[in-house]
Amino acid sequence: MVDNPSAELPARLVVEQGPEPNQTFTLGNAPQTIGRSANNGIIINDAEISRRHAQLTPQADSYVLEDLGSTNGSFVNGLRLDQPTRLNHGDSVEFGDTVRLRFWAAGMASEIVYAPEDDVVTPALPPEPMPAYTEPGTLPEPQPAHPPTFDDFDAPETAVSPNRNRILIGCGCLLIVACLLCVGTLFFLDSYQQGELLYCGGLRPFWETILGPLGFNPACP
């Protein structure tokens, strides 16, 4: 009778995700290549696997995984391999995005064995506090709602009285008339006696300042 049956278990790779889940590949004492073609020691027929994808090499009491320039890469515990990597018991080995295997070292069981000492008593949770209720008669009486009236709102000051409209219109007309008178007066003075009355009087310095930069030089007697 064997005292430790798990000691007879060989090192192996077990497919967790791939074309044949739970398929087991036993690892020997010689290097083994992994790939899609039939000349590999471990054949995994999946589109993510290259024809010659990776290689497992025995080293001491474990194995070293090396990617062989595959298209979709080799990973150990989610990290892509850029150099040979030693596998530890329970490591996850992925090829591409669709194939995942689990490495179980020699002599190590791949299943969790239940033992009574694993049972841990879950501590009881403290009781939840009772919700506090308010006794009837302690709450304030709700006030009856009443619909709003016109006095509750301020009347918007948007209406304009008719008298104000008339005043604004009258001011606008007076302003237009004043502008027309000013323009007409300027035209009249400009044409009267060739503008002597307009440009040669007391406003001569003003016109020289305004129109001088434009080359205007009134001819005054």
Side-chain angles (χ1 to χ4, degrees):
M1 182 175 179
V2 180
D3 295 335
N4 186 10
S6 64
E8 299 180 355
L9 294 174
R12 58 212 178 277
L13 284 174
V14 180
V15 178
E16 293 186 345
Q17 177 182 330
E20 297 184 29
N22 299 322
Q23 183 180 10
T24 300
F25 299 102
T26 301
L27 307 181
N29 296 325
Q32 291 178 284
T33 57
I34 303 171
R36 195 173 69 248
S37 63
N39 59 351
N40 292 284
I42 297 176
I43 303 171
I44 303 177
N45 189 13
D46 188 272
E48 290 283 315
I49 303 291
S50 298
R51 294 182 180 274
R52 193 167 180 268
H53 196 103
Q55 177 172 298
L56 275 172
T57 303
Q59 186 181 85
D61 57 346
S62 184
Y63 289 82
V64 172
L65 179 65
E66 179 183 2
D67 187 83
L68 300 178
S70 64
T71 302
N72 297 314
S74 303
F75 304 82
V76 174
N77 298 325
L79 300 178
R80 185 161 188 164
L81 300 186
D82 54 3
Q83 60 183 357
T85 300
R86 184 178 186 274
L87 297 180
N88 297 312
H89 175 67
D91 280 349
S92 174
V93 178
E94 301 94 17
F95 300 120
D97 296 328
T98 59
V99 178
R100 183 179 70 248
L101 303 94
R102 187 73 58 180
F103 170 72
W104 302 113
M108 304 298 292
S110 58
E111 296 179 356
I112 298 175
V113 180
Y114 170 79
E117 56 269 18
D118 294 335
D119 289 338
V120 178
V121 179
T122 303
L125 297 177
E128 296 183 359
M130 296 296 293
Y133 295 98
T134 305
E135 296 183 0
T138 59
L139 296 176
E141 292 292 335
Q143 298 296 326
H146 63 279
T149 61
F150 183 77
D151 296 334
D152 295 335
F153 302 95
D154 295 332
E157 297 181 358
T158 57
V160 180
S161 62
N163 292 332
R164 185 177 179 182
N165 286 335
R166 296 191 186 96
I167 294 174
L168 293 176
I169 294 173
C171 292
C173 293
L174 290 176
L175 182 62
I176 294 173
V177 171
C179 292
L180 292 175
L181 289 176
C182 292
V183 173
T185 303
L186 290 175
F187 274 104
F188 173 75
L189 295 175
D190 180 72
S191 60
Y192 182 74
Q193 294 181 355
Q194 297 182 354
E196 293 181 4
L197 183 63
L198 177 62
Y199 301 115
C200 298
L203 296 177
R204 180 175 181 178
F206 172 76
W207 295 116
E208 289 178 349
T209 303
I210 298 299
L211 303 177
L214 301 178
F216 180 76
N217 185 17
C220 297

